[in-house]
Amino acid sequence: MTPTYQGRPFSLFRNLNAKIASIPMILTALVIFVGGTAWTVFYSFTNSKLLPRASFVGFDQYERLWATPRWLVAVENLAIYGVCTLVFSLVIGFVLAALMDQKIRFENTFRTIFLYPFALSFIVTGLAWQWILNPNFGIQQVVRNLGWESFTFDPLYNADIVIYGILIAGLWQGTGLIMCLMLAGLRGIDGDIWKAARVDGIPTWKTYVFIVIPMMRPVLVTTLVIIASGIVKVYDLVVAQTSGGPGIASEVPAKYVYNYMFLAQNLGQGFAASTMMLLSVVIVIVPWAYLEFARRRRHG
C-alpha cells in the first residue's frame, strides 16, 4: 500500500512559482557577479598589463600594492571617510528623524527637502560643493565680504584636510536617506511604549537610548550595510571635487583601481586592488548576514 503524505508540502516545493521566477536572477548573480569576482581574483595573481594573460606571479601584485604610497594614502583616506561617514550619518540621521517624528507642521515638505540631495548624482553633488568650497567665490569669499577678512575655509585646496571637504559633500547627499530609514523605524515603535515610559517617569533621552534604539535593530543593521557599501565604492565625489588632488592627497581605492586598469594599463595591479576592496565588503557583509540568519533561526 503506497503511503500518502498529508499536510504541508516538502520545503523544496513551497512557493514554487516564486522560485521559478527567481531563476533568471540567480543565473545572473552566478554568471555575472560570482563569475566576474572569480575572474578578477584569478587574474590578480598574474602580471596582466593591457590584456589579461595567465602568467602567474604569485602575491607579487599584492606586495607591490601595499608598498605603493598612493595605495596607502587611498586606504587611509577611505578609513577616515568611512568612520566619519558612519558616525555622522547615523547621528545626524537619527536626530533629524527624531525631530520629524514629533508630528511637526509641514513634515512632508521638510522630509522632501532633506531627501532631495539623494536624488542628485554624485557628480552633480561633487561639482556643486566644489563651487561652494572654492575660496575665490564660495563660503570663504562670502564670509570675507561680510567683514571677516582673515577667515579661511578651503578644505579642497589643503592636502591635510581635503578628505573632510569630500566628507561634507557625502554627508549632505546621503544623510537624508538615513533620516528616512530611521524615521520609518521610529514610526514602527508602538505608541504604548512611549506612554509607558512617560508614566514611569523615564527621561526622553533614556527612552531613546535604552528602549527605542534597541528595538530598531533591524533598521540600524540595514542602514549600516547601506552606508558601508557606499563608503567602499566612493569615487564620483572625489573625481568631481578634486580628481584625487592636491597631488594624491584625496586618492581613494576605487580611483586607484580605475587609474591602474584603464589609464596605466596595468590590469594585474588593478585586479589586486579590486580584490582588496572586495575583501573589505566581505568583512562587512558576512558578519551581518550571519547575525541576521542566526537571529531569524532563533525566532523562526
Side-chain angles (χ1 to χ4, degrees):
M1 186 173 181
T2 304
T4 59
Y5 297 93
Q6 297 179 351
R8 301 175 66 182
F10 183 56
S11 59
L12 180 63
F13 299 102
R14 294 175 192 164
N15 301 320
L16 186 59
N17 291 336
K19 292 178 179 178
I20 293 174
S22 66
I23 289 177
M25 175 63 77
I26 295 173
L27 292 177
T28 300
L30 289 175
V31 174
I32 296 179
F33 296 114
V34 178
T37 298
W39 190 82
T40 299
V41 174
F42 176 82
Y43 280 102
S44 70
F45 295 99
T46 69
N47 64 347
S48 301
K49 297 297 183 182
L50 179 60
L51 296 173
R53 57 178 180 176
S55 178
F56 291 95
V57 293
F59 288 93
D60 285 0
Q61 295 288 5
Y62 293 93
E63 293 175 1
R64 190 177 300 116
L65 178 69
W66 287 102
T68 305
R70 191 186 195 101
W71 173 255
L72 298 179
V73 170
V75 172
E76 180 183 358
N77 284 336
L78 186 66
I80 295 172
Y81 180 87
V83 172
C84 292
T85 298
L86 201 61
V87 172
F88 287 114
S89 291
L90 287 175
V91 172
I92 297 173
F94 184 82
V95 170
L96 289 175
L99 294 174
M100 297 285 286
D101 195 41
Q102 305 305 311
K103 307 297 189 297
I104 62 175
R105 295 181 62 186
F106 307 112
E107 177 188 330
N108 291 336
T109 302
F110 284 115
R111 191 166 56 214
T112 302
I113 292 173
F114 286 128
L115 188 59
Y116 176 75
F118 188 74
L120 302 176
S121 71
F122 285 104
I123 294 295
V124 173
T125 298
L127 292 175
W129 278 95
Q130 182 191 57
W131 180 85
I132 294 171
L133 298 177
N134 190 299
N136 295 321
F137 44 80
I139 294 175
Q140 176 177 298
Q141 188 60 41
V142 170
V143 175
R144 287 185 176 182
N145 290 339
L146 295 176
W148 287 275
E149 297 292 340
S150 61
F151 179 79
T152 301
F153 187 67
D154 56 348
L156 298 185
Y157 298 84
N158 187 333
D160 294 329
I161 59 173
V162 62
I163 192 64
Y164 298 102
I166 297 171
L167 173 67
I168 292 172
L171 290 175
W172 179 80
Q173 180 162 26
T175 303
L177 175 65
I178 306 306
M179 180 205 69
C180 289
L181 293 173
M182 295 292 184
L183 183 59
L186 288 172
R187 292 286 164 85
I189 303 296
D190 194 340
D192 292 337
I193 292 175
W194 291 102
K195 294 177 183 178
R198 283 193 292 268
V199 170
D200 293 338
I202 302 175
T204 302
W205 70 270
K206 284 189 176 181
T207 304
Y208 276 113
V209 173
F210 297 108
I211 300 176
V212 173
I213 291 179
M215 294 182 66
M216 292 175 59
R217 181 182 173 277
V219 174
L220 290 172
V221 171
T222 301
T223 303
L224 286 172
V225 172
I226 292 174
I227 295 174
S229 63
I231 290 169
V232 172
K233 63 183 182 181
V234 61
Y235 171 79
D236 313 63
L237 283 176
V238 176
V239 172
Q241 288 185 274
T242 65
S243 294
I248 60 170
S250 59
E251 190 78 7
V252 290
K255 187 174 180 299
Y256 182 95
V257 170
Y258 177 85
N259 287 344
Y260 270 85
M261 291 185 67
F262 300 104
L263 300 181
Q265 297 179 351
N266 189 338
L267 291 180
Q269 184 69 183
F271 288 147
S274 299
T275 303
M276 296 310 301
M277 291 180 64
L278 172 65
L279 183 61
S280 65
V281 173
V282 170
I283 291 173
V284 173
I285 297 297
V286 170
W288 167 76
Y290 175 79
L291 291 174
E292 282 298 297
F293 284 118
R295 183 180 63 86
R296 291 179 183 179
R297 192 177 295 113
R298 287 196 304 268
H299 297 284

